[in-house]
Amino acid sequence: MTAVNRETGPGHVDERQARAVAEAARESEWRRPSFGRELYLGRLRLDLVHPHPRPDPDSAAAGEEFLTRLRAFCATVDAQRIEREERIPDEVVRGLKELGALGMKIPRAYGGLGLSQLDYNRALTLVGSVSPALGALLSAHQSIGVPQPLKMFGTEEQKRAFLPRCATTDISAFLLTEPDVGSDPARLRCTATPTEDGSAYLIDGVKLWTTNGVVADLLVVMARVPPGEGHPGGITAFVVEGGSEGITVEHRNRFMGLRGLENGVTRFHRVRVPVENRIGEEGKGLRIALSTLNTGRLSLPAICVGAGRWCTKAAREWARERVQWGRPVGTHEEVAKKIAFISATTYAMTAMLDLASHFADDERRDIRIEAAIAKLWCSEMAWRVADELVQVRGGRGFETADSLAARGERGVSAEQILRDLRINRIFEGSTEIMHLMIAREAVDAHLAVAGDIIDPSAGAAAKARAAAKASGFYAAWLPTLVVGQGRRPGAFGEFGPLAGHLRYVERAARRLARSTFYGMSRWQGRMETKQGFLARVVDIGAELFAMSATVVRAHHDREEHPERGQGAYELADAFCRQSRLRVDALFTALWANTDDLDGRLSRRVLDGRYPWLEEGILDPSVPGPLIAPAEPGPSVRENVRRTMG
């Protein structure tokens, strides 16, 4: 069989084509206010987050009632059994179904619980603290599976047909990724060919990393419709019955963590899908997927918050119990720093998640930046939190819970939480992809007025129009970045001892906007290649958002929960001081870094310039191609699909 060059062969998509597909799919207008967008423009719009939003009392009561029942059920789950057997027991799934946990986000009109995003995330925090695999099952089903895109884009007939099933009995999955297609959907190879009579589509292709795909009853499948008469074509979304003829789950994947995850490889061969099962119009599938992820991504920070709270408890108990050199290890400065980081960061993750959840419930905010930042920042920080817990526990942090219990100690699963959390930096957009995506939104205002100036394909007339438009925008915008409330000593006084942190955020936001402008002026059309610079811009904005959310949350806690007010202020103050050090370092690294050197060295490594660096070893990898072939056609493998519950 002739090998296909992935850079020049069939299906090759160049950078410009890939960007065009991504641009066509993103929401190009800002119809509602966004706190995150304003931060990147140098404006601390505190009025968008303060006073801290409050949930609707009736909604909160319903959520609390469900969480009470869910807590009682989760207390009966044997988390270590899931780890040992590498699957969630059927009786656990049946119990979740009976509780209504499959329909937490589905409206009551369609048989669901109709919980708010806030309470849904609280439920995932609770479930994920018991077993992240349980959290992944529920979130993949509701956050990105069939319920969410149908709620947003489905017809009334589709909602009536599928949502009651999803709320009570059927598990769903989301299928986008392919063996050779990750975050670059322009290269999607799975096809959905219209039948001659126009009544259906025939889906052919292979999907990889299909979370819940091994056990799913319903699938959301992204496939490319070939353009033709009466068919505009393009990437399109479909609801597909998991047991349809022609679907084969060829493999259940195993991972370093999330041992109970039902994730696999699914092959489609001439799978007939009625036209009534198409979600939205042809060619709108990628936009549907991205819109779904705007709120769907909030499930991951919910899992991270649960992990952070558990890590705080485990670290506190161990650091108080374990004695070294005559006193508890938690009183030694090196360990105390880790305890402070774990607890303060957990409080900040909670503040960020709850604020973004309130925004999602309110529906008067554009949360695409806030949700993306919450996913990016919480997944990175939770991983660090878990890593610090392992270090605090020392050898016991590296030992499995089963081994600890077998020799008579409490089975604290520190190493497991580290393994389980690692995927969150990759799930639903890797950290690197999230940096690029948020950066695109952060510079959107600049591209809107000056895009043609830096676009090499733009003609002279377009560049002239853009220059005139940009001069007006920058003449009004740049002066606002010179001074602000952050320079006024008494600003934000109602926040008491935390006011100084908000003044810092205000000053840093203006500095960030100026830095972004300088970067665009310096690199112009090459700005998109400066991924290191853009990543730091995004990370600074994420820290500023985290600080803002944390200060507002601490103020809210003092007002609403006086018994925890002092503690909230202490946690918020510690977090902001830690965060400010990270922000200062990031600002320095904007201009003092090794990005160019690293790029040159990487290219030399890829060119094989240092073969001697790999000598003196043996590679124990199992032989095979680095990317498995995924040509369409009938399956020749056993179908390992199964049902749960």
Side-chain angles (χ1 to χ4, degrees):
M1 180 176 177
T2 303
V4 175
N5 187 320
R6 298 183 189 279
E7 294 186 0
T8 59
H12 170 65
V13 176
D14 62 27
E15 285 188 52
R16 194 171 188 83
Q17 291 170 311
R19 285 197 302 271
V21 170
E23 278 295 302
R26 65 176 288 273
E27 179 62 50
S28 59
E29 297 183 12
W30 295 85
R31 299 182 178 88
R32 294 168 292 172
S34 163
F35 179 78
R37 181 174 187 260
E38 293 294 315
L39 269 182
Y40 285 111
L41 285 172
R43 298 188 283 255
L44 175 59
R45 287 286 308 279
L46 204 61
D47 60 298
L48 295 179
V49 298
H50 176 69
H52 193 281
R54 288 176 170 80
D56 172 75
D58 292 338
S59 175
E64 199 59 48
E65 186 274 333
F66 172 73
L67 286 166
T68 299
R69 292 190 290 116
L70 182 64
R71 178 180 293 276
F73 173 77
C74 287
T76 68
V77 175
D78 183 351
Q80 287 307 304
R81 180 184 171 190
I82 296 174
E83 183 73 1
R84 288 191 302 271
E85 297 181 359
E86 299 192 357
R87 65 176 47 184
I88 300 168
D90 283 352
E91 61 267 25
V92 173
V93 177
R94 284 196 297 271
L96 290 171
K97 290 179 179 180
E98 291 168 3
L99 279 171
L102 293 188
M104 288 186 283
K105 287 192 70 180
I106 295 174
R108 290 178 178 273
Y110 302 104
L113 299 180
L115 297 186
S116 66
Q117 183 73 38
L118 179 69
D119 287 321
Y120 170 68
N121 284 337
R122 290 175 65 196
L124 290 180
T125 294
L126 173 60
V127 170
S129 68
V130 176
S131 168
L134 278 180
L137 171 75
L138 293 176
S139 65
H141 165 66
Q142 292 173 85
S143 296
I144 59 175
V146 170
Q148 189 66 19
L150 279 194
K151 276 175 57 181
M152 299 176 68
F153 300 99
T155 65
E156 184 59 31
E157 290 75 15
Q158 289 173 334
K159 293 175 183 178
R160 288 200 301 266
F162 297 116
L163 291 185
R165 292 170 57 184
C166 291
T168 54
T169 57
D170 289 14
I171 293 171
S172 69
F174 174 78
L175 281 63
L176 171 63
T177 304
E178 300 178 1
D180 197 24
V181 179
S183 297
D184 184 8
R187 297 170 54 240
L188 203 72
R189 298 179 65 191
C190 186
T191 60
T193 305
T195 58
E196 288 188 8
D197 62 5
S199 66
Y201 296 83
L202 298 179
I203 297 183
D204 289 274
V206 179
K207 295 294 184 179
L208 175 64
W209 295 327
T210 60
T211 299
N212 288 358
V214 178
V215 297
D217 304 287
L218 290 171
L219 315 171
V220 174
V221 180
M222 296 292 165
R224 186 182 301 280
V225 177
E229 185 176 352
H231 292 278
I235 299 174
T236 305
F238 300 90
V239 177
V240 182
E241 297 282 353
S244 298
E245 184 179 351
I247 295 181
T248 305
V249 179
E250 296 188 329
H251 181 69
R252 181 180 186 262
N253 302 321
R254 297 181 70 245
F255 302 99
M256 68 182 288
L258 290 182
R259 295 284 172 82
L261 193 69
E262 297 289 351
N263 180 297
V265 178
T266 303
R267 177 178 291 272
F268 296 80
H269 178 59
R270 297 185 64 79
V271 177
R272 186 180 180 89
V273 180
V275 69
E276 292 81 13
N277 286 24
R278 188 187 69 215
I279 308 175
E281 301 173 7
E282 288 185 2
K284 302 298 184 182
L286 191 55
R287 174 166 289 193
I288 289 171
L290 294 179
S291 298
T292 298
L293 284 172
N294 278 339
T295 52
R297 285 194 175 98
L298 291 178
S299 63
L300 293 186
I303 303 290
C304 291
V305 166
R309 291 178 177 175
W310 182 86
C311 288
T312 301
K313 178 179 183 293
R316 173 183 57 79
E317 292 174 341
W318 176 251
R320 214 167 46 175
E321 176 80 13
R322 177 65 163 166
V323 174
Q324 286 278 53
W325 299 304
R327 54 196 176 103
V329 295
T331 63
H332 292 285
E333 188 172 273
E334 276 291 273
V335 178
K337 287 163 54 180
K338 299 181 187 303
I339 303 295
F341 170 76
I342 290 171
S343 55
T345 302
T346 296
Y347 185 71
M349 288 194 294
T350 302
M352 178 183 280
L353 172 65
D354 283 0
L355 190 59
S357 299
H358 278 295
F359 286 168
D361 287 329
D362 185 25
E363 296 185 348
R364 290 180 297 176
R365 301 277 191 272
D366 188 315
I367 68 164
R368 72 184 93 159
I369 289 182
E370 289 82 354
I373 285 178
K375 187 274 176 190
L376 164 71
W377 190 83
C378 288
S379 63
E380 288 291 329
M381 300 307 281
W383 164 258
R384 291 180 55 184
V385 162
D387 187 55
E388 294 289 32
L389 171 64
V390 169
Q391 193 69 18
V392 166
R393 283 185 54 82
R396 287 173 174 84
F398 194 65
E399 191 172 359
T400 68
D402 269 356
S403 177
L404 288 164
R407 60 183 183 81
E409 293 189 0
R410 184 185 301 178
V412 178
S413 52
E415 60 83 29
Q416 181 190 333
I417 201 70
L418 186 66
R419 290 187 286 104
D420 287 345
L421 284 173
R422 185 58 182 85
I423 188 57
N424 290 338
R425 298 171 64 199
I426 301 171
F427 258 169
E428 296 179 21
S430 68
T431 290
E432 294 72 25
I433 292 299
M434 297 307 294
H435 276 146
L436 297 180
M437 192 194 85
I438 298 169
R440 173 62 185 86
E441 302 298 348
V443 301
D444 184 56
H446 302 282
L447 294 178
V449 298
D452 283 340
I453 297 177
I454 62 177
D455 185 352
S457 66
K463 289 182 181 292
R465 288 193 298 271
K469 187 177 181 181
S471 63
F473 171 78
Y474 290 119
W477 177 66
L478 288 173
T480 68
L481 305 182
V482 179
V483 294
Q485 282 188 296
R487 292 294 179 188
R488 187 165 61 82
F492 311 112
E494 66 186 286
F495 293 92
L498 301 180
H501 297 310
L502 286 181
R503 291 195 291 271
Y504 176 88
V505 170
E506 196 278 336
R507 295 193 304 272
R510 287 187 285 111
R511 182 183 178 188
L512 179 61
R514 293 194 302 268
S515 299
T516 304
F517 174 73
Y518 297 155
M520 292 195 67
S521 301
R522 177 177 176 179
W523 293 304
Q524 297 188 27
R526 293 189 297 124
M527 181 75 160
E528 66 181 27
T529 69
K530 298 298 179 179
Q531 294 180 5
F533 177 87
L534 292 171
R536 295 180 192 102
V537 165
V538 169
D539 286 342
I540 292 170
E543 293 283 355
L544 299 183
F545 177 36
M547 277 191 272
S548 302
T550 303
V551 170
V552 169
R553 174 59 177 261
H555 182 77
H556 172 77
D557 280 348
R558 186 180 67 174
E559 297 289 319
E560 297 292 316
H561 308 282
E563 73 281 1
R564 60 169 86 155
Q566 182 61 33
Y569 264 53
E570 291 166 356
L571 288 165
D573 179 59
F575 169 75
C576 288
R577 291 178 186 275
Q578 295 166 7
S579 181
R580 287 169 68 161
L581 292 176
R582 293 192 291 268
V583 169
D584 290 344
L586 285 165
F587 269 123
T588 299
L590 282 177
W591 312 107
N593 55 66
T594 60
D595 291 351
D596 291 341
L597 172 64
D598 295 342
R600 290 194 297 271
L601 181 60
S602 175
R603 288 190 291 273
R604 290 165 183 163
V605 171
L606 296 179
D607 289 341
R609 187 162 177 169
Y610 315 114
W612 44 267
L613 194 59
E614 302 169 17
E615 293 176 357
I617 64 165
L618 292 173
D619 186 349
S621 303
V622 178
L626 291 177
I627 300 175
E631 298 304 316
S635 179
V636 295
R637 305 186 66 172
E638 177 189 358
N639 189 355
V640 298
R641 177 180 180 268
R642 67 184 184 88
T643 57
M644 297 184 81

